Amino acid sequence: MNTGTEAGAEAGTDAGTGDVVKVLVADDEAMIRAGVRAILSADPGIEVVAEAADGREAVEAVRAHRPDVALLDIRMPRMDGLAACEEIRRTAPGTAVAVLTTFSEDAYISRALGGGATGFLLKSGDPYELMTGVRAVADGGAYLSSKVARHVIAELGGERLTRGAAARARIAGLTAREREVLALLGEGLSNAGIGRRLHLVEGTVKGYVSAVLDHLEVGNRVQAAIVAYEAGLTAGAPTGP
């Protein structure tokens, strides 16, 4: 799971084939939208193409502008960010969704995962991390802010070792190559990034990723990345019996 700026920098370089990443920013606070726009506009490879003040507007803006990434606040009127995420992923699967979150909203992460979000970014986080996360999810990777990751794992309390043991049991049936792919999914790399790291063509990587998701019985790359983190496959992950 991509949870650090160094890993994030590598994930950021994957987006890119030179194309500009188009972003929708949705938040009910105009100042937050303006701040996010200003941060993202500092990256010449990112363009904010639309803004929305609530979830319904966000869904409509995605349909109109077809951005690469929809950056959604969780708490918004009319339709919250979680419902908007589910609707966007259903109606515009070409748009990746990243969630803007705070420490008080980590309970929503499991629902956001189920709804198809692949990025979780802290509102008060490092501006560089915001740009890196947007680029990572635009390129098909997964990104969980390092501070959000640490907070969520800490909240597991006594369940950590149990979850770690369960995760290690889940990956036991993977081949050595599939474990390598899962570890790189845990770093947030896209298929192209994994291919470069392992010297594989992208089509082969897609096959491995699909096999890993099927074996773990997870619905998306973020869920696989969390398993990688809990199983101790990524740098900085918890270890235990």
Side-chain angles (χ1 to χ4, degrees), residues 170 212-219 223:
R170 291 177 72 182
V212 168
L213 296 183
D214 287 345
H215 179 88
L216 298 179
E217 298 182 340
V218 296
Q223 292 171 329

Side-chain angles (χ1 to χ4, degrees), residues 202-228:
E202 192 168 347
T204 300
V205 173
K206 288 180 180 178
Y208 279 122
V209 169
S210 178
V212 168
L213 296 183
D214 287 345
H215 179 88
L216 298 179
E217 298 182 340
V218 296
N220 59 51
R221 301 168 75 97
V222 177
Q223 292 171 329
I226 290 174
V227 174

Side-chain angles (χ1 to χ4, degrees), residues 32-43:
I32 296 292
R33 297 198 305 272
V36 171
R37 175 186 281 273
I39 290 169
L40 295 180
S41 295
D43 186 328

Side-chain angles (χ1 to χ4, degrees), residues 184-211:
L184 295 177
L185 283 174
E187 292 184 24
L189 298 189
S190 65
N191 289 348
I194 294 172
R196 287 194 291 273
R197 185 74 67 86
L198 299 180
H199 307 290
L200 298 172
V201 298
E202 192 168 347
T204 300
V205 173
K206 288 180 180 178
Y208 279 122
V209 169
S210 178

Side-chain angles (χ1 to χ4, degrees), residues 91-138:
T91 60
T95 296
V97 175
V99 173
L100 280 171
T101 186
T102 65
F103 285 152
S104 64
E105 296 172 331
D106 56 3
Y108 296 109
I109 288 182
S110 61
R111 181 180 163 192
L113 284 170
T118 53
F120 297 87
L121 302 162
L122 195 63
K123 283 187 178 182
S124 58
D126 185 340
Y128 174 80
E129 190 171 64
L130 179 62
M131 291 185 284
T132 299
V134 165
R135 281 187 164 276
V137 299

